[in-house]
């Protein structure tokens, strides 16, 4: 009996001594002075959360509100319970208008229900094997999207073949041919556009895409296929893609690039730079060019101004076209972007039967922008990071280039509004997708992350989680990734952020696929600048710049939209002076606290 | 698929409930009562907690490990003689469970705790002063989810609605104890102290989809109660 008493007393005593919760106050907390980044995941989703923060003075605390898959959640409420220093939020220009404009409807479903009609018709473009370039070029008509607001209106554009690269064998044994066609109304002396394409430009785009004849492996084609796989190849005669069955053109070793004025708008400083239209691979379908091809805007590509200024604008300068001009570099980056879409369609839809035509837009675009990012240094272009490609550091403050400045202003959009967004709002979704993708590639395998996402039949957010899980070996969820991404954004000014929270190592993030190495540069969100983003005097005109991710305050958090798969930031101030908060969250929303 | 057993009435509990009801009617004259308090380490492993520990390790360093929280309980119940030394036992009570992670190098820790109310049904073998028993338990969250984490110079504590706690937390227990000393009077009842140990296991964990193995080892101090014999 004595032994039992001793045993019971020992267990009781040991449990008290070993219980972390009873001695939590001694485990660090406010007693320390360490400034290590600290991330706290509140377990609950929805309901009230009473929060107490503790840290040395001078640090800053934020909360990231993350939504799961449900649209239209109510905004959370946040109340400081004992604060003497509650931070205020800046007034974001047009943010409220943008949010109120968004209809929480199911129009996206209708848009995605579109299946290209298939009717027998003869191809206008002929067999690529018969493409002839030069003094007596092949002539044909191509279907080119007529305007930027619709994807179903097409112009028929008379074009001529201006360059052909015969069988080119890459080191991975792929052998392909390349045809470069130019719309006749964009060609040299016959051009009716602001700028004309000439043979130098045709040769330059061919060389960027297929490499020099003596060095095909230094090319967009080799770099992207090395990462993602074939752009086209054998497939079932009647191919099932998702829930539909399609007749596709046969295996082809040709890729065609058409330079034309997309939308016939003669715009030379913005708009649609290029596109891949999967229906071009359909046999006998309306508006199909029946080629493995993409279309590049000829007017922008041939704009000779170094900085990309339109010939209509003051400051425009024509000092001769160069492949280092602003729009030439944009086009080369776009080639990589569109080539990803081409491979994405083949690998996910054609080869694996994934429901490509109903895939969330942001997933395909995220991959495309990551390919741009991964190839930026190889192409020698700034890419979506907006940095000197040879500089892998996070650069310096005041960067207004690339996709990230607009992300600062709209970090809280939901990618599921992409398909119903007004044209003027579209760029913020690209910025969102780039920012999320840039986090994922820098933390979950770089080029291999993109390959896993592309070479998967899955077309929803689960594909992103699966690609991340394949790298980390953990059971990743999309909500978990979003929560960590939110923390990584807030910690991006630090080079000592923990693994899986890193945007900024101070140098390159390297990865390998297909025997090739790909490098990504560091990102510090606080080095970017969104000009005239903040309205400080209430006149709805931006009069101040935004140099950090937009953060709500307790007074403005009610404006949060709450769309699916979104992150919104809220500033909690200095945790040593504003320490106690109560949040009330709708079900499906999660809170993550970051003390920096 | 885990929801099938986590949210459905476990067959063992149903079986024991029927057994207990049958025994109560058949042996109403042999009923014992007891109250107890317990404390001991509570810990959870496996399932999604493996990934949670890895996530904690990301922040706190490579020496992160599982740790314990202070488990506690209060219970009251009855037992009924079935045949010979075999008795059916039932009780209701409150339990505090949870789990923790600790990184000694970084002086970092993180824990989650939850108060639950529940019912236990089981069988006991009680040939004399000592007894051993086993059975099923079913717990329900009754308080907020309490979380705390600290690293270096910062800490966060929160009390949040138990929206992500499992609606029902089925599990099992084993127990052993020894009655001590002589009975003493408390009002109209005779009480006899009892000391023992219990091990509880809840294989679905406390939190939805965690699929963790939640354990609690408790030292138990109790009182066996019986009505004083009439003069």
């Amino acid at each position: 009996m004595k032994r039992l008493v001793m045993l019971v007393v020992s267990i009781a005593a040991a449990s008290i001594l070993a219980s972390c919760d009873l001695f939590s106050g001694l485990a660090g907390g406010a007693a320390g002075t360490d400034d290590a980044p600290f991330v706290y995941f509140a377990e609950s989703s929805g309901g009230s959360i009473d929060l107490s923060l503790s840290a040395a003075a001078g640090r800053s605390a934020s909360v990231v509100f993350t939504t799961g898959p449900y649209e239209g959640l109510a905004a959370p409420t946040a109340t400081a319970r004992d604060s003497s220093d509650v931070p205020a939020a800046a007034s974001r220009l047009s943010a409220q208008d943008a949010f109120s404009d968004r209809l929480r409807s199911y129009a996206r479903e209708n848009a995605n229900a579109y299946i290209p009609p298939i009717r027998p018709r003869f191809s206008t473009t002929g067999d690529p094997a018969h493409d002839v370039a030069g003094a007596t070029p092949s002539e044909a008509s191509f279907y080119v999207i007529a305007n930027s607001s619709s994807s179903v209106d097409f112009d028929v554009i008379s074009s001529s073949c201006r360059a052909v690269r015969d069988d080119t064998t890459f080191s991975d044994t792929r052998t392909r041919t390349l045809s470069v066609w130019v719309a006749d109304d964009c060609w040299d002396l016959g051009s009716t556009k602001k700028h004309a394409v000439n043979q130098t430009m045709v040769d330059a785009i061919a060389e960027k895409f297929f490499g020099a004849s003596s060095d095909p492996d230094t090319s967009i084609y080799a770099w992207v296929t090395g990462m993602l796989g074939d752009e086209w190849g054998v497939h079932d005669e009647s191919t099932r893609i998702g829930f539909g069955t399609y007749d596709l053109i046969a295996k082809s070793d040709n890729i065609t690039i058409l330079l034309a004025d997309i939308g016939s708008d003669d715009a030379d400083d913005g708009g649609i730079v290029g596109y891949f239209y999967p229906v071009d691979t359909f046999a006998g379908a309306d508006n199909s060019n029946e080629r493995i091809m993409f279309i590049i805007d000829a007017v922008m590509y041939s704009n000779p101004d170094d900085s990309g200024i339109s010939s209509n604008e003051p400051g425009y300068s024509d000092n001769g076209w160069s492949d280092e001009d602003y729009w030439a570099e944009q086009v080369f980056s776009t080639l990589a972007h569109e080539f990803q879409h081409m491979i994405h369609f083949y690998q996910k839809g054609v080869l694996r039967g994934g429901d490509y035509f109903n895939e969330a837009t942001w997933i395909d675009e995220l991959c495309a922008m990551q390919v741009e990012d991964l190839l930026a240094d190889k192409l020698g272009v700034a890419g979506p990071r907006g940095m000197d490609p040879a500089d892998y550091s996070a650069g310096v403050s005041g960067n207004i280039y690339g996709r990230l400045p607009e992300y600062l202003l709209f970090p809280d959009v939901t990618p599921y509004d992409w398909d119903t967004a007004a044209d003027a709002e579209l760029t913020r979704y690209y910025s969102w997708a780039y920012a999320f993708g840039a986090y994922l590639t820098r933390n979950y395998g770089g080029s291999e992350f993109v390959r896993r996402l592309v070479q998967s039949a899955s077309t929803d957010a689960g594909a992103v989680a699966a690609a991340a899980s394949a790298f980390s070996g953990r059971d990743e969820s999309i909500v978990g990734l979003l929560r960590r991404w939110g923390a990584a954004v807030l910690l991006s000014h630090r080079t000592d952020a923990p693994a899986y929270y890193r945007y900024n190592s101070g140098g390159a993030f390297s990865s390998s696929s297909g025997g090739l190495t790909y490098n990504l540069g560091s990102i510090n969100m606080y080095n970017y600048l969104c000009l005239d983003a903040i309205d400080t005097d209430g006149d709805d005109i931006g009069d101040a710049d935004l140099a950090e991710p937009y953060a709500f305050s307790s007074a403005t958090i009610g404006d949060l939209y709450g769309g699916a798969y979104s992150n919104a930031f809220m500033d909690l101030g200095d945790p040593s002076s504003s320490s106690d908060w109560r949040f009330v969250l709708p079900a499906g929303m999660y809170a993550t606290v970051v003390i920096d | 698929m885990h929801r099938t057993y986590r949210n459905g009435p476990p067959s063992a509990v149903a079986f024991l409930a029927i057994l207990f009801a049958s025994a109560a009617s058949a042996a109403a004259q042999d009923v014992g009562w007891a109250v107890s308090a317990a404390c001991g380490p509570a810990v959870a492993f496996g399932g999604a907690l493996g990934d949670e520990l890895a996530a904690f390790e990301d922040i706190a360093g490579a020496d992160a490990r599982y740790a314990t929280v202070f488990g506690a309980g209060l219970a009251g119940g009855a037992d009924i003689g079935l045949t010979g030394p075999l008795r059916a036992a039932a009780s209701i009570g409150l339990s505090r469970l949870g789990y923790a992670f600790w990184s000694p190098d970084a002086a970092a820790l993180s824990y989650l705790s939850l108060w639950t109310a529940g019912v236990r049904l089981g069988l006991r073998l009680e040939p004399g002063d000592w007894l051993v028993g086993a059975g099923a338990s079913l717990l329900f969250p009754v308080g907020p989810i309490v979380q705390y984490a600290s690293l270096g110079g910062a800490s966060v504590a929160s009390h949040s609605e138990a929206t992500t706690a499992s609606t029902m937390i089925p599990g099992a227990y084993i127990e052993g104890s020894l009655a001590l000393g002589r009975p003493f009077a408390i009002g109209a009842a005779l009480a006899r102290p009892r000391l023992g140990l219990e091990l509880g296991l809840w294989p679905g964990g406390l939190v939805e989809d965690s699929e963790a193995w939640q354990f609690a080892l408790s030292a138990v101090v109790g009182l066996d109660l019986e009505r004083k014999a009439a003069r």
Side-chain angles (χ1 to χ4, degrees):
Chain A
M1 184 177 76
K2 205 169 185 179
R3 268 185 248 166
L4 176 66
V5 172
M6 290 299 293
L7 185 60
V8 168
V9 170
S10 298
I11 288 176
S15 72
I16 292 170
L17 292 172
S19 298
C20 284
D21 47 338
L22 296 184
F23 292 92
S24 57
L26 303 179
T33 56
D34 190 357
D35 68 346
F38 180 60
V39 183
Y40 175 86
F41 295 87
E43 172 61 43
S44 287
S45 163
S48 64
I49 301 176
D50 291 318
L51 200 69
S52 295
L53 311 176
S54 175
R59 301 187 69 177
S60 64
S62 302
V63 60
V64 185
F65 293 114
T66 301
T67 57
Y70 305 110
E71 283 281 4
L73 299 185
T77 64
T79 311
R81 291 187 296 162
D82 69 340
S83 174
S84 58
D85 184 21
V86 177
S91 177
R92 179 165 53 173
L93 179 64
S94 300
Q96 191 55 47
D97 292 341
F99 290 145
S100 61
D101 284 344
R102 290 186 197 143
L103 302 175
R104 297 174 189 179
S105 69
Y106 295 102
R108 179 177 150 269
E109 291 180 12
N110 296 329
N112 279 340
Y114 167 72
I115 295 176
I118 298 177
R119 296 176 200 158
R121 62 174 306 284
F122 186 72
S123 168
T124 59
T125 64
D127 184 346
H130 300 149
D131 287 357
V132 176
T136 55
S138 303
E139 294 184 356
S141 295
F142 286 87
Y143 291 102
V144 177
I145 286 175
N147 56 62
S148 61
S149 62
S150 167
S151 61
V152 293
D153 296 333
F154 289 82
D155 289 328
V156 178
I157 303 293
S158 176
S159 309
S160 299
C161 183
R162 299 295 174 179
V164 170
R165 290 282 289 273
D166 293 329
D167 282 351
T168 300
T169 301
F170 299 87
S171 63
D172 55 13
T173 72
R174 290 185 179 90
T175 298
R176 297 289 188 272
T177 64
L178 174 69
S179 304
V180 181
W181 290 66
V182 182
D184 291 340
D185 61 0
C186 296
W187 179 249
D188 217 355
L189 298 178
S191 174
T192 60
K193 307 295 181 183
K194 287 175 183 166
H195 314 287
V197 176
N198 60 32
Q199 194 63 45
T200 301
M201 300 175 196
V202 168
D203 293 343
I205 203 168
E207 185 165 326
K208 281 291 179 187
F209 191 69
F210 251 41
S213 300
S214 59
D215 186 17
D217 290 326
T218 303
S219 66
I220 292 171
Y221 184 88
W223 294 324
V224 183
T225 54
M227 188 193 318
L228 305 179
D230 286 330
E231 79 288 356
W232 199 249
V234 293
H235 53 78
D236 295 337
E237 270 305 313
S238 192
T239 307
R240 176 163 287 280
I241 300 174
F243 300 103
T245 303
Y246 303 86
D247 291 328
L248 306 178
I249 61 174
K251 178 181 184 299
S252 168
D253 290 333
N254 173 265
I255 297 174
T256 295
I257 298 172
L258 171 65
L259 292 161
D261 179 14
I262 299 171
S264 298
D265 55 5
D266 204 17
D268 64 347
D269 65 345
I272 300 177
V273 184
Y275 69 86
F276 163 72
Y277 185 50
V279 175
D280 281 335
T281 68
F282 286 19
D286 263 358
N287 306 316
S288 170
N289 288 309
E290 296 187 328
R291 286 191 182 226
I292 310 305
M293 68 178 298
F294 30 68
I295 289 96
I296 295 294
D297 192 90
V299 185
M300 275 182 262
Y301 178 54
S302 52
N303 182 345
D305 185 86
D306 291 350
S307 305
I309 298 172
S310 169
S311 61
N312 294 338
E313 299 292 328
Y316 170 78
S317 169
D318 180 357
N319 59 353
W321 185 88
S322 149
D323 64 2
E324 294 181 351
D325 289 339
Y326 176 84
W327 282 111
E329 290 195 344
Q330 289 294 311
V331 161
F332 300 146
S333 198
T334 300
L335 278 176
H337 180 114
E338 299 307 324
F339 195 34
Q340 187 286 141
H341 287 317
M342 184 183 285
I343 296 174
H344 199 106
F345 171 61
Y346 177 68
Q347 293 287 336
K348 189 179 286 283
V350 178
L351 269 188
R352 292 174 174 80
D355 193 9
Y356 176 86
F357 293 109
N358 285 310
E359 181 177 40
T361 305
W362 65 270
I363 295 176
D364 198 359
E365 294 296 344
L366 180 153
C367 291
M369 282 183 284
Q370 290 321 301
V371 167
E372 285 188 69
D373 205 7
L374 288 156
L375 264 59
D377 61 341
K378 299 182 189 304
L379 288 168
V381 301
R385 193 170 64 108
M387 287 276 298
D388 176 352
D391 182 359
Y392 296 111
S393 79
V396 295
S397 61
N399 187 345
I400 61 171
Y401 300 106
R403 295 284 186 187
L404 295 175
E406 192 165 4
Y407 171 74
L408 298 185
L409 184 56
F410 296 109
D412 51 327
V413 296
T414 166
Y416 287 95
D417 280 353
W418 193 312
D419 295 321
T420 56
D423 283 357
E425 296 177 351
L426 274 177
T427 51
R428 71 186 60 162
Y429 297 95
Y430 280 93
S431 295
W432 181 96
Y434 171 64
F436 187 32
Y439 161 75
L440 292 168
T441 50
R442 282 160 179 77
N443 289 274
Y444 292 92
S447 55
E448 280 296 276
F449 173 83
V450 185
R451 183 188 63 76
R452 290 181 177 116
L453 195 46
V454 170
Q455 294 182 357
S456 154
S458 178
T459 55
D460 58 19
V464 174
S469 296
F471 176 81
S472 70
R474 303 177 190 173
D475 186 15
E476 306 286 357
S477 68
I478 187 68
V479 169
L481 292 171
L482 287 166
R483 296 178 82 175
R484 255 174 271 155
W485 171 41
V489 167
L490 298 172
L491 298 174
S492 64
H493 66 97
R494 313 176 68 126
T495 55
D496 64 345
Y500 301 112
Y501 297 87
R502 286 186 188 142
Y503 261 119
N504 184 3
S505 66
F509 294 78
S510 297
S511 56
S512 297
S513 293
L516 299 172
T517 298
Y518 301 85
N519 297 309
L520 294 164
S522 287
I523 288 173
N524 175 359
M525 291 292 180
Y526 298 85
N527 277 348
Y528 290 87
L529 191 66
C530 190
L531 299 173
D532 295 332
I534 298 300
D535 173 21
T536 59
D537 54 11
D539 63 358
D540 258 356
I541 298 173
D543 48 39
D545 302 335
L546 183 64
E548 60 186 21
Y550 180 83
F552 291 93
S553 70
S554 55
T556 62
I557 193 66
D559 296 336
L560 175 62
Y561 171 54
Y565 295 140
S566 64
N567 273 343
F569 303 109
M570 186 183 136
D571 188 2
L572 301 179
D574 185 334
S576 67
S577 61
S578 75
S579 58
D580 288 346
W581 291 85
R582 162 165 280 206
F583 303 134
V584 180
L585 274 56
M589 184 176 283
Y590 300 82
T592 307
V593 175
V594 179
I595 298 178
D596 188 12
Chain B
M1 57 185 172
H2 59 278
R3 288 176 180 276
T4 303
Y5 74 85
R6 287 172 70 189
N7 288 350
S11 56
V13 173
F15 170 75
L16 289 169
I18 294 168
L19 190 66
F20 190 86
S22 304
S25 59
Q29 73 283 4
D30 184 15
V31 177
W33 303 89
V35 293
S36 66
C39 70
V43 65
F45 305 100
L49 286 193
D51 287 342
E52 273 196 40
L53 176 63
F56 177 71
E57 192 174 277
D58 295 339
I59 299 286
D63 65 333
R65 61 196 66 175
Y66 290 104
T68 63
V69 300
F70 184 70
L74 290 171
D79 57 69
I80 298 168
L82 296 176
T83 174
L86 188 64
R87 303 178 71 82
S91 65
I92 57 173
L94 296 169
S95 300
R96 183 182 192 263
L97 299 171
Y99 56 84
F101 308 128
W102 180 42
S103 172
D105 284 356
L109 73 83
S110 169
Y111 75 77
L112 179 149
S113 69
L114 181 68
W115 275 100
T116 65
V119 57
R120 293 194 338 182
L121 296 169
L123 294 173
R124 283 177 175 169
L125 191 63
E126 189 173 354
D129 288 344
W130 58 271
L131 67 83
V132 292
S137 75
L138 188 60
L139 307 180
F140 305 88
V142 293
I145 291 178
V146 177
Q147 279 182 272
Y148 175 89
S150 73
L151 172 66
S155 68
V156 179
S158 69
H159 289 66
S160 53
E161 287 182 36
T163 53
T164 54
S166 299
T167 312
M168 292 190 290
I169 305 166
Y173 71 93
I174 56 174
E175 63 177 347
S177 64
L178 181 66
L180 304 172
R182 303 170 64 93
F184 56 90
I186 301 178
L190 288 175
R192 190 180 186 196
R194 181 175 285 277
L195 276 182
L197 296 172
E198 287 178 5
L199 178 64
L201 164 65
W202 297 269
L206 303 180
V207 176
E208 278 289 346
D209 299 324
S210 72
E211 299 175 23
W213 293 78
Q214 173 72 50
F215 292 90
L217 176 63
S218 302
V220 184
V221 178
L223 287 175
D224 290 346
L225 301 173
E226 62 181 273
R227 192 182 297 274
K228 283 181 185 171
R231 289 178 185 272

